[in-house]
Amino acid sequence: MKQRKATHQKSVYSYNKWKKRKIFVMLSLLSLLGFCLVLTHNSTTTNTTTSRILTLASLRSHFIVQKPKIAFLFIARNRLPLDMLWDAFFKGQESRFSIFVHSRPGFLFNKANTRSEYFFNRQVNDSIQVDWGEASMIEAERILLRHALVDPLNERFVFLSDSFADTKEGRYNPKMAPLVPVYNWRKGSQWVVLTRKHAEVVVNDTTVFPMFQQHCKRRSLPEFWRDHPIPADTSIEHNCIPDEHYVQTLLAREGLEGEITRRSLTHSSWDLSSSKDPERRGWHPVTYKFSDATPTLIQSIKDTDNIYYETEYRREWCSSKGKPSRCFLFARKFTRPAAFRLLNMSVLGALRKATNKS
């Protein structure tokens, strides 16, 4: 009897001991589970906080107003003769512009051929051979626009060049009709400024450009006869200069003329009648030499508010948004000595004065 009681007590003791261990294990598991839940909560909170920070940063960057830029589109044979002048023009305004250069295929801007780092590696990689007075000039413009439109911040597109010739009269070819009717035929400067909307119209054009390729060609000029056969009868040729008609005619055909401001961009001196210098007469505008590059010349160009078109016997008063305005933003053609003189009188001169004062 005593032995049965002892066995029973031992059994109860073992049960109680096992029960306590079970409770301890359960409490431990609950504690561990609670700890894990805390870690998970903290981790979730951290992740949520990080996510919120990233989201806010993303929203902040999304709503930050980024300033629009001007795309400067250069058409050059090889190097840019007045790169040092452009370098002074661009300096300090890096966030406000982008540069694209169309040069001959294979030409690479580097320290060996340009003094300005703004032109390093800025040439497009799909350039073509460009001939003056041919539709290849238009295609070069379209290539530049395609590259510049990739950047959504580019809102204005400015065409620039080193130097090219010009001619007049008898340019419309009736073979362009009816796709390019004569009442849509327009003439203007190659050096234009386009809005993004108009640039996209030029790039997407598949109608007018082919017509220009086929029927808008320059007359065979004496100065080019060394490179081309002398024509049997030059009088029947249509002296069409594509780059002076294409953009204006295209926009007129698309019904966008009301959005265009009649204003020249680049000054060129074509009044050669009184010039005694044989080099200053012919198909090219006057070239400003070292002796021409004076503050008086620059001021006279800045003050120009009207242009007289000699062949059309009309005068055009320059305007911007319906108000009188100066006509020109740029000027051509200047020799390198002339450019250096102007640079010395303006930018370098100002730097020297600042240095002397300090």
Side-chain angles (χ1 to χ4, degrees):
M1 192 72 181
K2 289 181 179 180
Q3 186 177 0
R4 185 180 295 176
K5 186 176 181 180
T7 301
H8 175 71
Q9 289 177 344
K10 185 176 181 180
S11 177
V12 172
Y13 175 79
S14 298
Y15 174 79
N16 290 336
K17 188 176 182 180
W18 173 82
K19 190 175 181 181
K20 289 180 179 178
R21 286 181 179 176
K22 185 178 179 180
I23 293 172
F24 176 78
V25 171
M26 290 180 67
L27 289 174
S28 299
L29 289 173
L30 288 172
S31 298
L32 181 60
L33 180 60
F35 181 69
C36 290
L37 289 173
V38 170
L39 286 179
T40 304
H41 174 72
N42 290 341
S43 177
T44 303
T45 302
T46 302
N47 290 337
T48 302
T49 303
T50 303
S51 177
R52 287 175 178 171
I53 291 173
L54 292 175
T55 302
L56 288 173
S58 175
L59 289 172
R60 181 174 178 273
S61 63
H62 178 75
F63 285 107
I64 288 178
V65 179
Q66 294 178 295
K67 294 181 179 180
K69 296 189 295 184
I70 298 175
F72 289 90
L73 312 179
F74 288 84
I75 300 178
R77 296 179 180 87
N78 296 306
R79 61 190 297 273
L80 292 166
L82 305 183
D83 52 1
M84 69 291 186
L85 206 60
W86 285 112
D87 188 85
F89 176 77
F90 289 129
K91 198 173 295 294
Q93 306 294 330
E94 286 75 6
S95 64
R96 304 180 66 179
F97 67 86
S98 54
I99 294 174
F100 299 87
V101 183
H102 184 289
S103 56
R104 66 172 174 79
F107 184 81
L108 181 68
F109 281 92
N110 52 41
K111 292 182 179 179
N113 50 47
T114 180
R115 299 187 179 194
S116 174
E117 61 182 11
Y118 293 115
F119 296 107
F120 289 172
N121 301 316
R122 298 312 308 160
Q123 66 272 18
V124 296
N125 57 9
D126 54 349
S127 63
I128 61 172
Q129 183 62 43
V130 174
D131 295 315
W132 174 81
E134 301 292 337
S136 55
M137 179 70 76
I138 303 175
E139 181 58 21
E141 294 178 356
R142 285 157 55 93
I143 290 172
L144 285 169
L145 286 174
R146 279 196 291 269
H147 283 271
L149 282 168
V150 173
D151 186 345
L153 294 181
N154 288 332
E155 292 191 3
R156 291 292 186 276
F157 304 82
V158 182
F159 282 108
L160 304 155
S161 179
D162 51 1
S163 63
F164 287 98
D166 191 5
T167 59
K168 307 173 183 177
E169 293 303 314
R171 299 186 173 188
Y172 178 74
N173 189 338
K175 292 181 180 180
M176 290 185 172
L179 292 177
V180 183
V182 67
Y183 57 80
N184 284 149
W185 184 250
R186 301 290 184 272
K187 180 185 182 298
S189 172
Q190 177 192 9
W191 322 120
V192 298
V193 178
L194 298 179
T195 64
R196 190 172 186 87
K197 173 184 175 181
H198 295 167
E200 290 173 347
V201 170
V202 174
V203 167
N204 295 327
D205 169 41
T206 58
T207 302
V208 177
F209 178 60
M211 288 290 99
F212 270 71
Q213 285 181 304
Q214 295 178 45
H215 304 300
C216 183
K217 301 179 183 295
R218 62 171 167 79
R219 181 182 300 158
S220 300
L221 304 178
E223 62 184 282
F224 294 105
W225 286 352
R226 62 180 181 273
D227 301 319
H228 301 278
I230 300 176
D233 185 1
T234 59
S235 63
I236 63 175
E237 291 184 296
H238 292 278
N239 193 29
C240 182
I241 312 301
D243 51 88
E244 295 186 355
H245 296 272
Y246 172 65
V247 172
Q248 293 83 356
T249 299
L250 172 63
L251 295 180
R253 184 182 181 275
E254 295 297 319
L256 298 173
E257 240 180 343
E259 301 177 8
I260 300 174
T261 298
R262 290 177 60 89
R263 178 180 177 182
S264 300
L265 170 66
T266 302
H267 165 79
S268 296
S269 177
W270 291 95
D271 184 12
L272 309 177
S273 57
S274 61
S275 176
K276 297 180 180 180
D277 187 347
E279 295 180 6
R280 297 191 173 206
R281 294 196 296 267
W283 294 103
H284 302 273
V286 65
T287 297
Y288 293 111
K289 301 178 180 179
F290 180 88
S291 58
D292 301 313
T294 64
T296 302
L297 170 67
I298 300 303
Q299 191 59 49
S300 67
I301 294 174
K302 287 183 177 181
D303 290 343
T304 302
D305 59 1
N306 70 89
I307 304 171
Y308 180 69
Y309 293 90
E310 188 174 341
T311 58
E312 301 173 24
Y313 305 103
R314 68 179 179 87
R315 185 176 300 278
E316 178 182 313
W317 294 88
C318 300
S319 64
S320 177
K321 297 181 179 180
K323 297 180 180 180
S325 172
R326 294 176 178 177
C327 292
F328 306 115
L329 297 178
F330 304 103
R332 58 190 292 263
K333 304 164 36 177
F334 289 82
T335 62
R336 284 177 66 82
F340 272 116
R341 185 181 187 187
L342 291 173
L343 192 61
N344 185 63
M345 288 188 298
S346 57
V347 179
L348 296 183
L351 289 176
R352 288 198 185 98
K353 290 180 181 178
T355 303
N356 293 334
K357 288 181 179 180
S358 60

